[in-house]
Amino acid sequence: MSLAVVVSRALTGMEAPAVSVEVHLAGGLPGVQVVGLPEAEVRESRDRVRAALQTAHFEFPNRRITVNLAPADLPKESGRFDLPIALGILAASQQIPAAALERHEFAGELALTGELRAVRGALAMVLGARPDGRAFVLPRASAAEAALVPGATVYAAGSLLEVCAHLKGTARLPAVEPVAPPPSGGASGVDLADVRGQHLAKRALEIAAAGGHSMLLSGPPGAGKSMLAQRLPTLLPPLTESEALEVAAIASIAGRFDPSRWRERPYRSPHHTASPVALCGGGGHPRPGEISLAHRGVLFLDELPEWERRALEVLREPIESGVVHIARAARQASFPAQFQLIAAMNPCPCGWLGHASGRCRCTPERVAGYRARISGPLIDRIDLAIDVPALPPADIASDDGEARGEPSAAVRARVIVARERQIARPGTLNARLAVGELARAVCVDPAAQALAQRAMARFGLSARGYHRMLKVARTIADLAGDDTVGPKAMGEAVGYRRFDDGAGRVAGEPAVTGKPAAVR
């Protein structure tokens, strides 16, 4: 026969549509023509395939070869089509059985020696191929991540010769077994008990973990802001299988998936010089950015006022919607972005405003200008704002249990119970509640409602700020096991709605006396 069809996969955002690699041999001047909207990497595959076939001692047909990648209107990129193109040429020239191709899908980049190199997005491709019931043949370096897809059959191959031997039935490729998940869903080596003192910040961190809320930590250098943020993933419950697959697919598309971290919550901490595209994703072939790589996990932005304002503003829509839409002239893609934003900042340009040493010499104008780098709309989307003061030397040196506090496991147990209460109501975390769901999910008693209304009037809260305050109060009540949000929970939520404007005035000062209920 002079025609063969091999099935492979393309990548478009989070989708992996099937691509039929059709190879036709005809008379005429010898040559290879690749059609079907191929990018430069795909057009160059003809030279890699020719060298790989000859190195593996196959005959390269001295005929006119046409390779069609269907559907024709779907852009094709990367070297993943090398292997299916090579197999299509071998099947069309009757050097391997064409019938065996129907039960498999293939992806892999060929070296000139015939060896197979890793490809990006292997897990996403196998996830898309699972409903069709075909086995997937991948390079050995990419097969481990793809084998995590339940019910999928993945074969690992090291070279073109191994794939051909498998198709001929002379030497079967090994089916890859999935890697066993790690014993814990949290980051290894860190624990909340490592943080000395900072009881108010730890309480706020527990609330943020329970409800999926965003959080801003403000304090001098060395107060423990980064330590607190790094320990938030240890307070979150392990990912479910479907959530883990979603997270793994995003990392696979970005080429950053590590099978040994299967079912761990992502923790991303980009440098403050990152660009808007690095944060939200994009490029000629749209790829996920940091906010998508932090999906179902934590995005930590340190030195928040030092970030370029354009970069911070791209966070506003994804914080609300949980998805980022990337639109380019020729490409559009959408990536999930349900991340928890934890930001940290110094109280002033030098960092020592309010410190007991009195070393700060920043003027009110400099402090106000420093904090004004963060836009009001972004601050309005942050649920909890916490001061993290410098610890006294006695607390730093102390090793007693009170200074160390609870371990992550104890806090995580309460977080899991609170999340179960939330899921049992509208089926989502409190931070993700839509405005229309608030009335059903947040049952507020009259005294707490009156307190919330006074806080809104006194501090000039926007409608968004008011709704976010209600969501935090609902989470506090869930941690306490209460069905109704009372004045105690509402008062604590009001206390977390605060941000110093840098002119000596604190916006959102608690409407109740004393500290939040948990730390009074």
Side-chain angles (χ1 to χ4, degrees), residues 367-430:
V367 176
Y370 176 74
R371 301 187 183 185
R373 298 177 188 175
I374 310 170
S375 70
L378 180 59
I379 287 294
D380 205 34
R381 288 168 167 81
I382 295 179
D383 298 331
L384 301 101
I386 305 297
D387 286 330
V388 185
L391 288 177
D395 286 354
I396 298 175
S398 175
D399 197 31
D400 59 38
E402 183 177 352
R404 291 179 61 85
E406 290 183 291
S408 294
V411 179
R412 183 167 61 246
R414 296 196 296 269
V415 168
I416 291 174
V417 173
R419 287 195 170 209
E420 289 174 349
R421 291 175 60 89
Q422 297 168 48
I423 298 301
R425 287 195 302 266
T428 186
L429 297 180
N430 289 332

Side-chain angles (χ1 to χ4, degrees), residues 198-204 492 496 514-520:
Q198 305 298 1
H199 302 294
L200 175 59
K202 290 179 181 179
R203 167 65 175 174
E492 186 175 357
Y496 293 129
K515 296 179 180 178
V519 294
R520 276 206 292 264

Side-chain angles (χ1 to χ4, degrees), residues 192-463:
L192 190 61
D194 300 334
V195 183
R196 308 298 177 88
Q198 305 298 1
H199 302 294
L200 175 59
K202 290 179 181 179
R203 167 65 175 174
L205 203 67
E206 178 179 347
I207 295 170
H213 301 288
S214 54
M215 184 171 165
L216 174 64
L217 303 170
S218 176
K225 304 184 295 295
S226 298
M227 285 186 68
L228 287 163
Q230 290 167 2
R231 281 146 184 80
L232 178 56
T234 69
L235 308 184
L236 302 175
L239 293 168
T240 65
E241 186 174 86
S242 61
E243 290 174 341
L245 281 174
E246 193 176 21
V247 170
I250 297 172
S252 176
I253 290 170
R256 302 180 182 181
F257 180 66
D258 181 2
S260 65
R261 300 182 67 87
W262 170 245
R263 287 206 175 186
E264 283 190 11
R265 294 273 180 178
Y267 177 81
R268 306 294 302 179
S269 180
H271 193 261
H272 66 263
T273 57
S275 67
V277 173
L279 276 181
C280 72
H285 306 290
R287 295 194 186 186
E290 291 290 342
I291 63 176
S292 295
L293 293 171
H295 179 61
R296 305 285 184 188
V298 177
L299 176 68
F300 177 51
L301 301 185
D302 202 2
E303 306 294 347
L304 192 65
E306 303 297 339
W307 283 76
E308 182 187 353
R309 185 152 183 161
R310 287 179 56 249
L312 291 181
E313 295 307 297
V314 304
L315 300 174
R316 286 161 53 175
E317 293 84 355
I319 288 176
E320 297 278 351
S321 63
V323 64
V324 57
H325 301 286
I326 300 171
R328 299 292 183 264
R331 304 282 180 89
Q332 291 81 37
S334 296
F335 296 103
Q338 292 187 20
F339 59 93
Q340 272 191 259
L341 174 64
I342 305 297
M345 61 177 288
N346 295 326
C348 67
C350 76
W352 300 105
L353 180 66
H355 194 268
S357 65
R359 70 179 77 177
C360 178
R361 294 295 183 268
C362 297
T363 63
E365 292 76 14
R366 285 193 65 199
V367 176
Y370 176 74
R371 301 187 183 185
R373 298 177 188 175
I374 310 170
S375 70
L378 180 59
I379 287 294
D380 205 34
R381 288 168 167 81
I382 295 179
D383 298 331
L384 301 101
I386 305 297
D387 286 330
V388 185
L391 288 177
D395 286 354
I396 298 175
S398 175
D399 197 31
D400 59 38
E402 183 177 352
R404 291 179 61 85
E406 290 183 291
S408 294
V411 179
R412 183 167 61 246
R414 296 196 296 269
V415 168
I416 291 174
V417 173
R419 287 195 170 209
E420 289 174 349
R421 291 175 60 89
Q422 297 168 48
I423 298 301
R425 287 195 302 266
T428 186
L429 297 180
N430 289 332
R432 296 288 172 188
L433 285 172
V435 175
E437 298 171 330
L438 278 174
R440 298 190 300 271
V442 184
C443 181
V444 184
D445 73 13
Q449 185 65 52
L451 175 60
Q453 291 175 355
R454 289 200 303 273
M456 186 178 183
R458 177 179 174 183
F459 307 130
L461 299 181
S462 67

Side-chain angles (χ1 to χ4, degrees), residues 15 23 56 86 92 98 108 138 155 161-162 173 262 316 354 376 391 401 413-414 419 466 484 493 511 516:
E15 303 296 325
V23 179
L138 287 164
Y155 294 115
L161 280 174
E162 292 181 13
L173 290 171
W262 170 245
R316 286 161 53 175
L391 288 177
R414 296 196 296 269
R419 287 195 170 209
Y466 173 72
T484 302

Side-chain angles (χ1 to χ4, degrees), residues 149-191:
V149 178
T153 302
V154 178
Y155 294 115
S159 66
L160 176 63
L161 280 174
E162 292 181 13
V163 178
C164 294
H166 173 80
L167 295 174
K168 291 179 179 179
T170 57
R172 304 292 295 179
L173 290 171
V176 183
E177 296 296 329
V179 178
S184 172
S188 59
V190 297
D191 195 278

